[in-house]
Amino acid sequence: MMPTLHVIYLRSGPVLLSRKPYGDWREMQDEWDDYMTSLGPWTAGEVVEFFREDSGNEARWPFSAEAVRAFVESDRAVMSTGFI
């Protein structure tokens, strides 16, 4: 079964991609001190489609389509665009 993903935006700037099974946004807010908002849970395809619709050119996406695919295939629970 493919994991579902959450796109998490932090006030300090990094964007996270998480495969953790959150019950609601409050659980993310409890985990991430500077939580701002989140999207999901989505499939990897839905995440890529959101980035495509939101940002257009893949060079402006927080994570490339290939990075999302590699994350789904990895054992990692969270991927970040910066230091967290």
Side-chain angles (χ1 to χ4, degrees):
M1 185 166 101
M2 294 298 281
T4 55
L5 307 173
H6 293 272
V7 180
I8 303 170
Y9 293 88
L10 303 180
R11 292 185 194 286
S12 58
V15 177
L16 311 176
L17 195 57
S18 176
R19 69 170 72 228
K20 294 181 181 182
Y22 297 104
D24 64 21
W25 63 269
R26 289 174 189 89
E27 290 180 23
M28 289 177 252
Q29 187 177 43
D30 290 343
E31 183 172 357
W32 306 100
D33 292 336
D34 59 344
Y35 172 89
M36 186 167 46
T37 194
S38 60
L39 303 165
W42 289 340
T43 65
E46 289 169 322
V47 169
V48 168
E49 184 60 28
F50 169 74
F51 291 154
R52 182 175 291 118
E53 290 177 7
D54 188 56
S55 301
N57 185 334
E58 190 170 359
R60 297 190 332 229
W61 299 5
F63 306 102
S64 68
E66 180 55 37
V68 172
R69 280 190 288 277
F71 174 67
V72 168
E73 294 172 3
S74 77
D75 293 334
R76 298 171 60 191
V78 176
M79 179 169 62
S80 173
T81 59
F83 295 105
I84 52 173

